[in-house]
Amino acid sequence: EILIDEATSIVVATQGHYDEPALEAALATPAAYIGLVASARRAETVLGYLRDRGLDQAQIDRVDAPAGIDLGRIEHREIAVAVMAKLVQLRAAGATGGVTETVTIPTTAIDPVCDMEVEMATAKFTTELNGDMFYFCCPACKSLFEKTPVDYLG
């Protein structure tokens, strides 16, 4: 569990995977800074989606998108520099705290039946059980799990 308060900075950098739910979760916090690492075009699409989901303009305005200080046309390797520069600028101004914690959101899951690694973003075989998502490599593994999930859970 992570303490997120008015001194926290959140940078969503999912490379286009699950930007929307990550931003919705970030906007539900009192974080001082919420940035989205994305192209201007992608950011516009994501923020439009959030508007369509009912978020008001004040919430949308909390998102710095594209994240970071505008350094003009830069290469992807320099994006982190732009984001860090923005965070240093905010911290120097007293707008955020000084502690940094990195949270990595998994992009792969383990098929509970065969232990194969499955890419979550492109998984074709999934099921939900008690609010948890499970990812499978094939329909056979999904079927076995759904018949007797207790056989495959911890």
Side-chain angles (χ1 to χ4, degrees):
E1 191 169 309
I2 301 169
L3 172 64
I4 298 175
D5 61 18
E6 295 81 6
T8 303
S9 295
I10 298 173
V11 178
V12 174
T14 68
Q15 296 183 337
H17 301 284
Y18 310 105
D19 289 333
E20 296 85 352
L23 278 176
E24 283 185 286
L27 288 167
T29 73
Y33 175 82
I34 300 170
L36 172 63
V37 175
S39 68
R41 186 175 188 175
R42 171 77 179 140
E44 184 179 313
T45 300
V46 171
L47 297 178
Y49 171 84
L50 296 177
R51 259 186 226 95
D52 292 346
R53 297 256 308 152
L55 275 71
D56 63 36
Q57 193 58 45
Q59 291 172 300
I60 301 296
D61 289 345
R62 290 182 61 204
V63 180
D64 181 25
I69 291 176
D70 184 0
L71 299 176
R73 290 187 59 87
I74 58 175
E75 294 190 25
H76 68 277
R77 292 181 298 271
E78 297 166 321
I79 293 170
V81 174
V83 172
M84 291 305 297
K86 179 70 171 198
L87 295 177
V88 169
Q89 180 185 53
L90 291 170
R91 191 172 72 185
T96 63
V99 178
T100 301
E101 182 172 346
T102 301
V103 178
T104 303
I105 298 173
T107 59
T108 61
I110 302 298
D111 182 323
V113 175
C114 69
D115 293 328
M116 187 172 180
E117 191 171 295
V118 179
E119 192 70 35
M120 293 165 62
T122 58
K124 293 182 176 151
F125 310 103
T126 64
T127 193
E128 185 177 339
L129 178 66
N130 299 326
D132 293 322
M133 285 299 296
F134 293 90
Y135 301 84
F136 306 93
C137 67
C138 66
C141 285
K142 178 182 178 191
S143 179
L144 285 170
F145 179 85
E146 289 177 335
K147 285 180 186 172
T148 56
V150 71
D151 291 348
Y152 304 100
L153 299 175

